[in-house]
Every structure is written in structure tokens, then in C-alpha cells.
Amino acid sequence: MHFGGLDGQVIGSGSIGVVLTNGSSNTACEFATLLPRLEAVSEFRTLVYFYQAMPDSITAAAQMLRSQGCHQVLLVGQSFGGAQTLIAAAKLKPPPNAAISLSGESATDDVRSLSVPTLILASEQDHYFPGATARQVFAVIPAVDKQLKVFPGGLHGADLFDGPQGEEALGLVMSFLGDHASPVTASPTQ
């Protein structure tokens, strides 16, 4: 599928859109461990695409899912794509239901206007986004509904799903997505 100058694939046919934004390695394979969990939720329609740091590509991805009938959109990004996910979540209209960053190399100035529910996962000794930086970024997010989990070790991004705390990381992501998405009921005909 081609949209907004990007290539991607939609998995599932639900009414709740999930945008997966990769990091700078530019491979959607980063989400191989998460995808089966998302596929198991019939309400989800997941877009995996090749993010190339093009302006507004996350917005284009969300709009593409909305054009397919998704009235709710959840954003998930890892590494560089995680940082860009939080920036996009603060600007997207209509706003996403939630945003999740997996070791996104965010700066405090990037998230000062982020008001949507936000989950950040990080590792204490991550060379790109260490636990101390994750705590600083988390502290300035104005969203009332926000969570931070810093794991021991140095795993980065979606590698968290394959490490010693992989099941916990996957559980946190899936719970957060589930808590911030509710199936759309059929509206009465007019």
C-alpha cells in the first residue's frame, strides 16, 4: 500500500487504528514480536510502514487509517520513531487516543505540549535514551494520564520485547492500548 509518499501494510480489519513507526534502521521487522499480539485483537487495524523521517509521515499514517474507517487511532513508535511519535501526538488533529514511545530519544522541549495519554518504556543503561533522560522527559509531559517504566539493562526500542522483561514490556503496551481504545458502537441511522 502506498500513501503520503510512504509504503506500508495494514494488518487486521478492526475499527481502531494502530500506527507502528519504526526507528532509524527503517525496517518494520522491529515490531515482529509485537505484531502477533496486535493481530490477536480483532478490533485493531494495524499499519506497519517504512518511516523515513519525512515531515508529517505519522500524520499521513493516522489519516490513512482514518480514511479506512478507524475513528480512533493509537500511535506506537520505537527509537527515533518513538520520539517522532510523541511530537506528532501533540500536534495531530484530531488527537490520537494514546501515544507509546519505546526508547524514543525525546527531549524535554519536544513533549511540553503533549496532553494525550502517554506511555514511555526505556532502559536504565540505554546509550541513546537512558533512564535518567526518560525520567526528565516524563516529568515535563503535561498529560494527566501518563506512565513510565524504566527497565534494568541497556536494551533499546523494540528490543525490549525480546529481552528478559519482554513479557512485561509487551503486557504494558497491550494493556495501555486496550485501556485507551474502546470499540466504536454502531451509530443510529438518521
Side-chain angles (χ1 to χ4, degrees):
M1 141 175 301
H2 194 72
F3 65 96
L6 301 165
D7 292 311
Q9 180 179 357
V10 173
I11 299 163
S13 57
S15 61
I16 299 167
V18 179
V19 174
L20 297 181
T21 300
N22 56 264
S24 57
S25 66
N26 198 27
T27 174
C29 296
E30 296 166 337
F31 294 108
T33 305
L34 178 61
L35 274 172
R37 305 284 178 112
L38 295 170
E39 284 182 89
V41 180
S42 62
E43 293 86 8
F44 287 163
R45 179 183 305 230
T46 303
L47 173 61
V48 180
Y49 72 105
F50 297 101
Y51 176 70
Q52 300 173 348
M54 294 171 52
D56 301 322
S57 59
I58 296 172
T59 300
Q63 289 172 340
M64 194 282 297
L65 285 173
R66 286 188 172 124
S67 75
Q68 290 193 352
C70 294
H71 299 290
Q72 300 177 55
V73 173
L74 304 153
L75 305 178
V76 180
Q78 77 96 39
S79 191
F80 178 72
Q84 296 305 306
T85 290
L86 297 187
I87 292 169
K91 299 175 182 175
L92 195 60
K93 301 293 183 215
N97 288 55
I100 298 175
S101 172
L102 309 170
S103 309
E105 298 100 348
S106 299
T108 54
D109 287 345
D110 294 338
V111 298
R112 291 192 189 277
S113 62
L114 184 59
S115 60
V116 303
T118 303
L119 170 65
I120 296 176
L121 300 185
S123 290
E124 202 65 65
Q125 285 86 35
D126 184 337
H127 293 292
Y128 303 102
F129 190 65
T133 304
R135 289 181 191 90
Q136 291 170 349
V137 167
F138 181 77
V140 302
I141 295 173
V144 175
D145 183 354
K146 61 182 182 175
Q147 295 178 33
L148 169 68
K149 175 65 180 180
V150 179
F151 293 98
L155 293 177
H156 181 73
D159 288 343
L160 289 165
F161 297 143
D162 299 317
Q165 296 89 14
E167 281 303 313
E168 183 181 358
L170 285 163
L172 287 167
V173 168
M174 293 306 296
S175 293
F176 200 80
L177 291 173
D179 290 347
H180 295 90
S182 56
V184 177
T185 58
S187 59
T189 55
Q190 297 178 356

